Amino acid sequence: MSWDDKLLKQAKKIIKLYPQKRSALGPLLHLAQSKDGYISDDSISVISDLVGITEVQVKSVSTFYSMYKQEPTGKYLLSVCKSISCEINNSSEVINKVQEFTGLNNNETDEDELFTFEAVECIGACGGAPAVQVNYETVEGVTPENAINMCKWLKETKPDVVVADEMQENFGGVKSFDWAIQDNSGSTSTAPGFQTLNTTKVKK
Amino acid sequence: MSEKVNLNVNGLEIESDPNKLLIEACEDSGIHIPRFCWHKRLDPVGMCRMCLVEVETPRGKMLVPSCTTEVSDEMVVDTESDVVKKAQEGVLEFLLINHPLDCPICDKAGECPLQDQTMAYGPGESRFVEEKRHFEKPINISEIILLDRERCILCARCTRFSDEISGDPLIEFIQRGNKTEVNTFPNEPFKSYFSGNTVQICPVGALTSTSYRFKARPWDLKSIRSTCNGCPTGCSIELNSSQNKMLRILGVDNDAVNQGWMCDKGRYNFEYLNSDSRLKTPLKMTDNELVEIEIQDVYSELAEFIKDRQTKVNFLLGSNLTNEDYVAFREFSNTISKSERSFYLNDDLLYKGFFGENIELAKIDDLNSSDAIVVWAEDLKEKLPVLYLRIRQAVKNGVKLVVFGHTNETLSDIADVFYGKDMVSENFEILKDLSKMKEINNLVAGKNITAILGKSTPYQSDESVTKLFEFLNSNANSKVLNAYSKGNTYGAFQTLENLKGLNDFVNDISKDNTDLLFIVGADPIGRSVYSNQIKSIIKSIDTVVTLDNFNHETSELSDYVVPISSTLGEKEGTFTNIEFRTSRIDKLVPSPGQTLSDWEFITSLMNFAGLTVETNSLEDLNRKAYENLDSSLSPVFDNLDKPSNLDGMINIFNPKIAASENKLNKTMFFTGEKLYGDSATERHSDSISMLGSKKFIEVSESVAEKYNLTSGSCILAQDELEVTVSYEVNNSFPNDLVYIPTNRRELNKFDFSREIMIIPSQVKEALNVN
Ligand code: SF4
Ligand code: SF4
Ligand code: FES
Ligand code: FES
């Protein structure tokens, strides 16, 4: 098995939350994503053992959902929305600028394994279009200039946790609505930050 | 039975059972709705939308998929409206967008649902001008199955089969949307005993078999219905040939038996029929060599022996004969001697079983209606594969399952109770008092049980199984399915008396009581665990006549070898399955050279020897086989050929088995057989010959430790004999147990009553260096 004890312990904790082992498949795949930055065949074998379904059945699920990456990602997964509300609000320019800065085409990762860029379908932040996610932490109202600033900031400070609220304050603009709750926890990998998965951390 | 519901379909009033799917209810009333993904034996998924029909709803007429919609009373349905037609055209236009123009080179063309339904319901033209999606042309998803992903229409029949029916989901949809494909996990091929079924139910030519690929066009095929004689399940099958060559076997949906499925060995073990190595002319041992001889000379030379009333004759019969063949030997034997005689079957595991007045025998269908199934027998997946599928089906329908070790681990996955090493000793004795085991008592006490019972290995005591039987018999309302596992064993039960197995053969037969021994369709030296003893017996007997399809280790020691036709496709007759269901074996292809049916050979021999022959034709033998049965119920050809009897006729029967208890010494090694082996027929069926060639053993953890097995292979040694095998550690074995499959040649050559040494291969290498 290619998972260390800590990760296996985490996995078993997650499995316990469900009435059937196989129901834990989705979260376990996120866990695998947080470990390697993608879903490796090794991880698939481990998960298949853990939940008692065949490897190809795990693969079937992991390749169906686009949040489970089939290729390694960089430290930061930049997802820029290209759907209609964002497009109307100039997302194509955001996309251009991010691509220019990173030198990446869609779904590419740079040599330093710092950035992976993708243009994605609606991420549910239409009210704050154009929207961008960094490791699934959403920033709304991002102008092309601020997108560049954000990339520069990521490149220079290389934060271990990216926090939506913090990025919103520094690089965001108009928001869908005010959540009114301060949340200074964020994502620590290219999997979304979930407490049960241990993929989130509070930024001090 | 609940009330029927009434529907109006296309203006016609039809009746249906409630809870039926609309597509099925229509089908039953003769209204065909096109479909790709729906298959009567699989759960509906509504993947393809080909079965859309219009149903009236409170909100007006709506298009619904008829394969996922249940009937309801007063439902009004239109399967032919303009809207339905438009939908069908649309679905087909979409399906054809990515479908390659492969028909000219596709095995399926001519019997392809996609072709046929495009013709019947398609739009006639396509508006698609973009490029179709492309995949590497067929990839091997296993050693015997190929997948052409471009042709796949994503109906999920194959994936559902492997998940729901055979329980080995090694193929699945990968990716999504336009990129979706069926595939396996890298380096994890579609290794399944049932994979051929997916080829049969694939509605396009995406899944093909190595054995049939590019061999024929469907419209050139001749076909006939028959029964598989591979094991006592007796699956209903269709044989296909072209230009007098057997090319393909398909499963036929016999509701009470195989429901359309087959195992891959039954399906693909036929290529040997066309092999050049088939025996075509009789042979006689002359100066230690088998040389060709005229059949007339065989008859006249043997007739001389037989005319001499002093000659003592015995029979060792294989399990792949037809009932008529068995009767021919019985008649022959009755004619030459009036005294009672035993017939020996080529079976290491033949034992008394559970028959008699007070024992109710089960039918396969009883599995579905029982409260629980209790299994203690040889590995059913290996030995009675489609019966194994029927157990899976019953469990899926909610029947409870109790399984005893150490052979049916594959069933333990779906068992409610599995009694492994804590409960069953390495000697195959039940260790604990069953009446005190809560789990089994809860499941069986006072319930309707089907018990599938048999011996798991020759050295297991008869008594151990009897104990379980008695427990069930006194605590539950139980029916028994005796799990003998060789070909037409039940046909032999029905037609022969005083049956014994190889254990008794070895004890009984010697040159003192046998001058002339007929060995028919059997290679005990190549397969039995009594190989060595049988070899010396055969060597000592004056005249041994072997009848078979191929030369093998046994025939090579015989005085006469007579080529016979194969029961598969080259003979007519009847076969009796595990529930005493007798059905037709039929002939589709001629047999090669001078081959004869066993009964033809014996009948001619009797005529040559001047014996009175009452059964001169196949029909005579067929009548004779069932002369004790009420004529309207008896499975004579006339009755079996009636359309209502194509699925066979059951006549439960109490066989006269005279087998005595096996007195084998118990050692660490327990013998069994895998589905695939390297028998003569398998070796000569190229598509599957590699599947049974590997020599391996399974060892308990303690054995692996004790013998320091680390490298994946080891050497088994006894006296002069040394065989290199790979090994697998089986965690569910009790300490000190080793499984050895004896249908892999050489592995049956050990004396299993004495110690066999296990030498790790690295040690052996070290020794060789010195
Ligand atoms: S391979 Fe055949 S059976 Fe399997 S999904 Fe494709 S079309 Fe259906
Ligand atoms: S299960 Fe038995 S009868 Fe059925 S196909 Fe296989 S060998 Fe033949
Ligand atoms: S369109 Fe961009 S978030 Fe919905
Ligand atoms: S047959 Fe109904 S959707 Fe495929």
Side-chain angles (χ1 to χ4, degrees):
Chain A
M1 285 222 199
S2 62
W3 284 19
D4 62 23
D5 289 347
K6 201 176 142 221
L7 208 62
L8 284 173
K9 225 171 118 193
Q10 186 73 26
K12 286 181 185 143
K13 237 162 95 189
I14 294 169
I15 293 171
K16 281 219 187 87
L17 300 173
Y18 297 87
Q20 283 183 19
K21 282 182 175 182
R22 62 185 294 165
S23 309
L25 182 53
L28 292 184
L29 285 166
H30 281 312
L31 200 63
Q33 173 77 31
S34 76
K35 169 181 178 280
D36 296 326
Y38 75 115
I39 311 294
S40 67
D41 283 351
D42 270 354
S43 287
I44 287 180
S45 304
V46 173
I47 294 173
S48 132
D49 276 348
L50 285 170
V51 303
I53 61 178
T54 62
E55 288 159 312
V56 74
Q57 287 178 312
V58 178
K59 180 121 183 159
S60 179
V61 174
S62 76
T63 55
F64 183 85
Y65 295 105
S66 55
M67 276 169 81
Y68 303 130
K69 302 299 173 197
Q70 297 176 39
E71 302 289 333
T73 44
K75 191 171 167 66
Y76 305 111
L77 172 65
L78 307 172
S79 318
V80 185
C81 178
K82 63 172 179 183
S83 284
I84 185 107
S85 302
C86 295
E87 167 66 30
I88 291 170
N89 286 292
N90 209 18
S91 68
S92 39
E93 199 43 34
V94 178
I95 291 174
N96 285 341
K97 282 284 184 273
V98 172
Q99 288 196 321
E100 235 169 68
F101 181 84
T102 56
L104 297 173
N105 290 320
N106 199 15
N107 293 322
E108 276 181 3
T109 301
D110 59 24
E111 276 176 16
D112 305 334
E113 289 170 12
L114 188 65
F115 290 122
T116 299
F117 166 77
E118 60 179 3
V120 295
E121 301 301 342
C122 179
I123 48 180
C126 317
V132 175
Q133 288 179 328
V134 181
N135 293 353
Y136 299 110
E137 293 286 305
T138 306
V139 196
E140 297 171 282
V142 183
T143 60
E145 296 69 38
N146 267 341
I148 299 292
N149 290 337
M150 187 157 71
C151 291
K152 277 190 185 147
W153 168 75
L154 287 167
K155 192 171 177 173
E156 278 156 20
T157 64
K158 296 196 180 60
D160 282 336
V161 200
V162 287
V163 180
D165 280 3
E166 181 194 13
M167 290 187 291
Q168 181 70 37
E169 207 174 300
N170 296 335
F171 311 104
V174 53
K175 279 174 41 167
S176 307
F177 52 87
D178 191 356
W179 295 94
I181 309 167
Q182 266 276 296
D183 180 8
N184 51 357
S185 65
S187 163
T188 54
S189 69
T190 55
F194 289 132
Q195 247 158 29
T196 42
L197 294 178
N198 215 4
T199 51
T200 183
K201 233 192 215 161
V202 175
K203 186 156 184 178
K204 306 269 159 56
Chain B
M1 196 71 221
S2 41
E3 306 259 298
K4 300 259 181 198
V5 296
N6 295 297
L7 308 73
N8 180 309
V9 182
N10 302 342
L12 296 168
E13 295 297 327
I14 69 165
E15 207 185 56
S16 158
D17 287 333
N19 307 326
K20 267 219 161 152
L21 293 169
L22 189 49
I23 193 169
E24 222 176 350
C26 288
E27 181 120 326
D28 293 345
S29 303
I31 300 161
H32 179 81
I33 299 173
R35 84 289 304 256
F36 291 109
C37 67
W38 185 72
H39 186 285
K40 137 172 174 210
R41 299 290 177 190
L42 303 173
D43 292 344
V45 274
M47 289 291 281
C48 72
R49 311 321 258 190
M50 191 62 212
C51 67
L52 291 172
V53 295
E54 266 194 306
V55 172
E56 275 178 21
T57 75
R59 285 181 293 155
K61 285 187 174 182
M62 262 178 38
L63 275 177
V64 301
S66 56
C67 73
T68 53
T69 308
E70 278 186 12
V71 292
S72 58
D73 207 23
E74 289 176 35
M75 199 176 212
V76 179
V77 185
D78 197 333
T79 72
E80 293 170 336
S81 68
D82 289 345
V83 175
V84 169
K85 280 192 182 136
K86 183 117 191 183
Q88 289 167 341
E89 287 180 3
V91 168
L92 278 164
E93 190 175 355
F94 271 124
L95 282 178
L96 292 174
I97 276 179
N98 272 323
H99 197 79
L101 266 180
D102 273 3
C103 301
I105 51 147
C106 178
D107 286 331
K108 201 82 176 183
E111 53 178 12
C112 174
L114 183 59
Q115 265 188 343
D116 296 346
Q117 296 190 136
T118 298
M119 179 78 190
Y121 308 97
E125 55 188 68
S126 163
R127 288 167 289 182
F128 188 69
V129 290
E130 290 82 0
E131 173 138 359
K132 290 176 191 276
R133 63 183 198 152
H134 290 297
F135 284 108
E136 185 189 331
K137 273 305 192 183
I139 50 170
N140 269 297
I141 52 171
S142 79
E143 284 161 298
I144 54 176
I145 306 289
L146 299 149
L147 169 66
D148 185 324
R149 290 164 293 175
E150 288 178 352
R151 293 180 188 162
C152 171
I153 58 165
L154 306 174
C155 70
R157 279 187 175 193
C158 56
T159 52
R160 277 179 292 153
F161 173 85
S162 68
D163 189 19
E164 295 166 18
I165 308 288
S166 62
D168 40 23
L170 296 170
I171 44 173
E172 248 307 346
F173 286 147
I174 305 290
Q175 308 293 348
R176 76 189 300 181
N178 188 43
K179 288 190 186 153
T180 315
E181 59 178 281
V182 171
N183 214 327
T184 61
F185 191 67
N187 303 320
E188 195 62 48
F190 183 33
K191 248 193 174 165
S192 162
Y193 284 169
F194 304 99
S195 57
N197 295 300
T198 64
V199 176
Q200 184 173 340
I201 61 175
C202 177
V204 292
L207 288 164
T208 49
S209 66
T210 50
S211 94
Y212 178 71
R213 200 173 162 76
F214 299 140
K215 289 276 160 60
R217 312 260 56 177
W219 50 88
D220 288 334
L221 293 177
K222 255 175 63 183
S223 77
I224 200 159
R225 184 170 165 159
S226 188
T227 307
C228 176
N229 63 333
C231 80
T233 312
C235 298
S236 291
I237 55 174
E238 178 188 315
L239 307 174
N240 290 162
S241 72
S242 173
Q243 300 177 4
N244 284 335
K245 264 191 176 179
M246 182 84 80
L247 290 180
R248 180 170 73 170
I249 301 179
L250 297 173
V252 170
D253 195 324
N254 180 341
D255 186 62
V257 182
N258 58 321
Q259 309 193 329
W261 313 129
M262 292 183 74
C263 72
D264 286 354
K265 182 163 162 196
R267 190 184 292 270
Y268 296 123
N269 189 23
F270 68 86
E271 290 165 348
Y272 69 87
L273 294 174
N274 309 323
S275 159
D276 290 336
S277 322
R278 276 288 290 273
L279 284 169
K280 296 188 187 74
T281 45
L283 305 170
K284 181 183 178 182
M285 186 64 78
T286 325
D287 301 332
N288 283 327
E289 216 183 311
L290 284 169
V291 294
E292 291 190 5
I293 171 178
E294 291 298 322
I295 187 80
Q296 307 300 331
D297 296 336
V298 177
Y299 288 138
S300 47
E301 290 176 25
L302 291 179
E304 287 312 308
F305 284 109
I306 292 163
K307 278 183 196 155
D308 176 359
R309 306 306 292 234
Q310 304 305 316
T311 307
K312 289 167 272 183
V313 187
N314 266 307
F315 301 92
L316 170 53
L317 304 178
S319 46
N320 280 328
L321 281 62
T322 61
N323 295 0
E324 288 67 21
D325 289 331
Y326 286 128
V327 173
F329 284 102
R330 181 185 80 194
E331 293 303 302
F332 175 45
S333 150
N334 287 345
T335 319
I336 50 176
S337 128
K338 287 281 166 265
S339 59
E340 194 170 82
R341 93 158 57 249
S342 299
F343 284 93
Y344 297 90
L345 285 183
N346 177 34
D347 190 345
D348 289 344
L349 272 174
L350 196 78
Y351 80 121
K352 284 216 165 92
F354 303 99
F355 297 101
E357 298 276 293
N358 302 320
I359 297 171
E360 197 178 344
L361 295 183
K363 303 193 180 86
I364 298 177
D365 261 347
D366 289 330
L367 294 172
N368 278 334
S369 54
S370 316
D371 298 317
I373 301 169
V374 178
V375 179
W376 197 17
E378 280 181 277
D379 192 335
L380 300 179
K381 189 175 180 181
E382 307 289 342
K383 301 303 297 177
L384 294 158
V386 171
L387 185 70
Y388 163 85
L389 293 188
R390 292 295 309 265
I391 297 173
R392 292 188 58 87
Q393 177 197 43
V395 171
K396 201 170 161 232
N397 292 340
V399 179
K400 302 286 179 219
L401 177 64
V402 181
V403 176
F404 287 78
H406 313 292
T407 45
N408 274 294
E409 265 82 31
T410 36
L411 274 176
S412 72
D413 291 351
I414 53 164
D416 296 273
V417 181
F418 174 62
Y419 289 123
K421 53 188 170 188
D422 298 333
M423 186 72 177
V424 182
S425 75
E426 64 279 8
N427 291 336
F428 292 82
E429 303 285 345
I430 294 181
L431 289 166
K432 295 181 186 158
D433 183 354
L434 283 169
S435 59
K436 301 218 172 85
M437 307 299 291
K438 217 169 95 205
E439 311 97 314
I440 189 168
N441 279 290
N442 285 346
L443 290 178
V444 308
K447 302 274 173 61
N448 292 323
I449 303 299
T450 303
I452 303 183
L453 300 176
K455 291 213 320 187
S456 306
T457 188
Y459 76 50
Q460 179 180 5
S461 71
D462 294 6
E463 201 208 327
S464 60
V465 198
T466 308
K467 255 193 192 159
L468 175 58
F469 164 76
E470 277 167 359
F471 167 76
L472 294 172
N473 214 27
S474 53
N475 288 291
N477 178 14
S478 46
K479 295 185 181 178
V480 180
L481 205 55
N482 282 289
Y484 298 96
S485 66
K486 300 224 165 192
N488 196 13
T489 303
Y490 289 77
F493 286 172
Q494 221 175 14
T495 49
L496 302 174
E497 297 198 333
N498 290 322
L499 280 163
K500 294 178 169 181
L502 290 174
N503 166 44
D504 288 297
F505 179 86
V506 169
N507 294 330
D508 295 357
I509 300 292
S510 70
K511 67 173 187 318
D512 301 334
N513 56 16
T514 313
D515 307 311
L516 176 58
L517 174 66
F518 286 91
I519 303 178
V520 187
D523 175 20
I525 300 182
R527 187 150 175 183
S528 168
V529 297
Y530 305 103
S531 175
N532 300 327
Q533 287 128 294
I534 294 172
K535 192 171 183 176
S536 24
I537 292 172
I538 287 176
K539 277 184 170 164
S540 73
I541 286 176
D542 187 59
T543 307
V544 177
V545 184
T546 296
L547 281 70
D548 217 328
N549 305 143
F550 290 94
N551 253 327
H552 44 59
E553 289 176 63
T554 308
S555 68
E556 275 156 13
L557 295 177
S558 307
D559 302 284
Y560 295 90
V561 181
V562 180
I564 52 168
S565 18
S566 168
T567 301
L568 178 64
E570 295 178 351
K571 267 188 202 170
E572 275 186 81
T574 54
F575 172 95
T576 302
N577 88 344
I578 192 161
E579 49 182 358
F580 289 98
R581 175 188 299 272
T582 305
S583 52
R584 256 301 201 162
I585 294 267
D586 224 332
K587 173 175 168 143
L588 182 66
V589 290
S591 49
Q594 301 176 26
T595 52
L596 302 157
S597 285
D598 305 81
W599 71 266
E600 287 172 321
F601 174 77
I602 282 300
T603 312
S604 307
L605 181 58
M606 287 170 77
N607 281 320
F608 258 86
L611 302 173
T612 347
V613 188
E614 283 174 19
T615 45
N616 259 313
S617 69
L618 185 66
E619 284 68 24
D620 290 346
L621 288 162
N622 174 249
R623 266 194 303 274
K624 193 90 190 168
Y626 310 109
E627 62 185 351
N628 296 329
L629 295 171
D630 185 337
S631 65
S632 64
L633 300 174
S634 84
V636 290
F637 292 148
D638 281 348
N639 282 341
L640 283 179
D641 290 343
K642 289 183 187 145
S644 57
N645 289 333
L646 288 179
D647 287 349
M649 300 171 77
I650 294 191
N651 288 285
I652 296 222
F653 193 83
N654 273 321
K656 302 218 168 49
I657 303 170
S660 50
E661 169 98 43
N662 214 315
K663 294 267 159 22
L664 279 178
N665 263 347
K666 286 165 193 174
T667 65
M668 199 163 66
F669 287 80
F670 88 89
T671 56
E673 287 185 355
K674 286 283 168 193
L675 178 66
Y676 297 111
D678 55 4
S679 64
T681 58
E682 290 162 272
R683 286 202 306 280
H684 292 102
S685 292
D686 291 345
S687 301
I688 57 157
S689 57
M690 65 295 200
L691 300 175
S693 59
K694 188 175 145 197
K695 295 191 175 57
F696 74 99
I697 54 173
E698 282 173 30
V699 300
S700 63
E701 266 178 313
S702 72
V703 172
E705 263 167 45
K706 188 160 146 196
Y707 293 92
N708 201 1
L709 301 181
T710 49
S711 68
S713 74
C714 62
I715 289 148
L716 300 180
Q718 185 181 58
D719 308 335
E720 302 293 283
L721 183 60
E722 277 186 9
V723 186
T724 306
V725 294
S726 59
Y727 65 85
E728 281 155 34
V729 178
N730 187 329
N731 291 325
S732 47
F733 281 178
N735 284 348
D736 296 335
L737 197 62
V738 180
Y739 165 80
I740 181 160
T742 48
N743 60 339
R744 311 269 161 121
R745 280 176 308 159
E746 292 186 3
L747 292 184
N748 74 331
K749 295 293 180 300
F750 294 101
D751 175 352
F752 293 100
S753 58
R754 289 190 295 126
E755 199 193 346
I756 302 168
M757 290 206 298
I758 303 178
I759 309 167
S761 14
Q762 61 279 25
V763 171
K764 182 75 191 169
E765 269 159 37
L767 287 177
N768 284 348
V769 172
N770 297 336

